[in-house]
Amino acid sequence: MNARHIPSDDRLLAYTAGTLSAPEAVVVATHLALRPESARVVRSLTEVAGEVLDGLEPIALSDDALEAALARVETDGGEVAPPPLNDMPELPEPLRRYALGPWRWLGPGVRMRDVHAPRDGECRVILLKIDPGKSTPRHTHGGVELTCVLSGAYATDSERFEPGDLEEAGPETLHQPRVVSDEACLCVAALDGQIILPGVAGWLMKPFVRM
Amino acid sequence: MSDDIHDRQIEAVALHRDREAFACLFAHFAPRLKAWLMRTGATAQAAEDFAQDAMLAVWRKADLFDSRRAGASAWIFAIARNRRLDMIRREKRQPPAPELDPCAPESDQPDVLLAASQDATRVRQALQHLTPDQAVALRLAFFLDQSHSEIADRLGLPLGTVKSRIRNAMIRLRQILETPGQETRP
């Protein structure tokens, strides 16, 4: 475990405020489910948000607003049933209720599937599963990308990422970390940009696969 | 602290579907939720509809409230924020966002629960120890976009200044959270 592999304060603040993009929020929520110390910071920031809400100058609602709300309470049918769980019980809770696309082959020992979470423009959520000793696919960084390790571990030249660790990659990053655990490494990522398929296979596949 | 009264009112809604308690919560929070949404750029009518909708969610979810895990204001903020994210997603015809629930049971260990309730109290006290500049910047961060450029515009300050004020406010909050709990009044 590496203490640095946590979201920046700005990102935790944006997550709490609800201003983080949806795909990034899904990855951060996953990290929080795995890291109580980050969840604690978010809980504290939510208390700050509550204080901020409490301190706002109120703006009166129309006179019949309460009556209308109570009338809706009368006829309220309750919460809509939550969507069903997906086929991967090993996923942390924040990822369990999203439908998942089919696994797709990206190269030797590398597979991905879409998580049907809200997108934000080109940015979407994917699961990546990479076998021991294999490298993650190269990808262009159109924007910031967030990765959270769910199981297994990968390493770059200088750093190691284990379950719960969050990696923030900037547009300048073009690294190709390698899986260093005995088991396959499963990650969830908010990806903004296109994956470049590795090697000749990628070059051959490119016309056929839109990743 | 008014939060304690509101804690009891949410519990009364949960236990007895207490309409009077709900009316009190509505009187306090609905006008603030309306103000919050208008600050994020919504029209008065949209903000009013939103406040009603969020308060209905408070009614529905009251039995999930746990005052050991979150204060009333924080819990209602989280519910309203989730409603707002869902609303935005629905407009874009997208699936719902993950629920970000401050009462989510990370652990039922008594020491974790104690730490959570102490954190809540300490955070409220900590806010009073921020410099006014830090407090203003941090508050605005809950309404405006995450790049903080809108905050800089609003305050007429360079972006770097806004960023450093928010950063310093966060450092202060973290310091307070890392201080041992016994210094805090219950």
Side-chain angles (χ1 to χ4, degrees):
Chain A
M1 191 189 299
N2 188 319
R4 286 173 304 147
H5 297 155
I6 56 174
S8 65
D9 281 347
D10 272 354
R11 210 181 284 276
L12 290 179
L13 191 59
Y15 175 85
T16 309
T19 55
L20 198 61
S21 83
E24 289 176 310
V26 171
V27 178
V28 172
T30 306
H31 165 81
L32 297 177
L34 298 170
R35 285 294 156 82
E37 63 273 23
S38 290
R40 186 179 174 204
V41 175
V42 166
R43 206 167 46 218
S44 298
L45 285 173
T46 310
E47 293 294 335
V48 175
E51 286 295 294
V52 171
L53 177 66
D54 230 29
L56 284 181
E57 195 62 44
I59 296 177
L61 277 73
S62 56
D63 292 340
D64 60 353
L66 174 62
E67 268 172 57
L70 284 170
R72 283 176 67 188
V73 156
E74 291 284 311
T75 57
D76 181 41
E79 285 288 274
V80 209
L85 300 170
N86 58 36
D87 65 2
M88 291 181 74
E90 67 271 38
L91 294 178
E93 196 279 324
L95 296 174
R96 281 309 312 280
R97 293 198 185 273
Y98 291 117
L100 302 170
W103 282 109
R104 288 185 283 170
W105 184 84
L106 282 188
V110 184
R111 283 143 292 166
M112 67 158 274
R113 68 193 300 191
D114 283 315
V115 177
H116 295 155
R119 300 168 72 114
D120 185 50
E122 283 293 296
C123 189
R124 73 272 176 64
V125 182
I126 60 164
L127 290 175
L128 267 176
K129 194 170 193 177
I130 304 150
D131 286 343
K134 303 293 183 199
S135 290
T136 57
R138 285 161 60 95
H139 37 263
T140 57
H141 284 286
V144 179
E145 178 209 338
L146 277 182
T147 309
C148 181
V149 180
L150 303 173
S151 59
Y154 68 81
T156 63
D157 289 343
S158 53
E159 293 179 285
R160 184 183 165 99
F161 293 84
E162 299 193 343
D165 280 349
L166 190 91
E167 186 184 12
E168 310 194 8
E172 71 289 350
T173 322
L174 188 69
H175 62 184
Q176 211 172 353
R178 183 168 290 274
V179 170
V180 292
S181 48
D182 294 337
E183 54 170 331
C185 181
L186 182 67
C187 300
V188 61
L191 187 71
D192 195 359
Q194 299 293 304
I195 288 181
I196 303 170
L197 293 172
V200 179
W203 182 77
L204 285 172
M205 294 276 292
K206 207 166 184 180
F208 307 108
V209 190
R210 288 179 65 88
M211 289 302 159
Chain B
M1 188 103 0
S2 63
D3 235 26
D4 292 341
I5 302 166
H6 297 135
D7 287 357
R8 301 291 91 76
Q9 287 165 344
I10 297 172
E11 285 159 5
V13 170
L15 286 172
H16 321 294
R17 306 274 95 183
D18 185 330
R19 296 164 69 106
E20 212 165 298
F22 182 72
C24 294
L25 287 168
F26 193 93
H28 183 79
F29 286 105
R32 286 171 171 80
L33 291 170
K34 182 176 176 181
W36 174 51
L37 211 71
M38 287 180 72
R39 287 210 183 192
T40 66
T43 63
Q45 186 56 51
E48 174 140 348
D49 292 346
F50 169 80
Q52 285 214 15
D53 188 58
M55 289 309 295
L56 190 62
V58 168
W59 172 274
R60 283 174 179 169
K61 290 173 184 276
D63 57 342
L64 299 176
F65 175 70
D66 182 344
S67 63
R68 295 171 304 173
R69 298 182 198 276
S73 308
W75 187 72
I76 291 177
F77 171 83
I79 284 188
R81 174 200 53 203
N82 293 347
R83 300 301 290 187
R84 179 164 166 259
L85 291 175
D86 278 349
M87 196 170 69
I88 295 168
R89 306 282 135 70
R90 269 202 305 277
E91 281 163 12
K92 293 187 190 169
R93 294 172 173 274
Q94 293 200 324
E99 292 270 313
L100 322 174
D101 183 354
C103 288
E106 291 134 30
S107 164
D108 282 321
Q109 298 296 314
D111 55 336
V112 175
L113 287 177
L114 182 64
S117 66
Q118 284 180 348
D119 282 356
T121 314
R122 280 198 272 171
V123 164
R124 285 180 226 145
Q125 289 168 351
L127 280 177
Q128 290 155 18
H129 293 294
L130 298 178
T131 68
D133 287 345
Q134 290 169 357
V136 166
L138 186 62
R139 279 168 194 276
L140 285 175
F142 286 98
F143 304 115
L144 302 174
D145 74 10
Q146 62 160 315
S147 73
H148 306 323
S149 53
E150 286 180 57
I151 304 176
D153 288 348
R154 184 78 64 98
L155 297 176
L157 290 169
L159 184 58
T161 307
V162 170
K163 280 181 185 285
S164 77
R165 282 180 189 176
I166 292 174
R167 196 180 315 124
N168 289 333
M170 287 292 297
I171 289 169
R172 184 86 190 97
L173 286 176
R174 279 181 181 277
Q175 281 169 347
I176 286 154
L177 287 177
E178 280 155 19
T179 316
Q182 56 268 27
E183 290 169 25
T184 321
R185 281 172 290 129

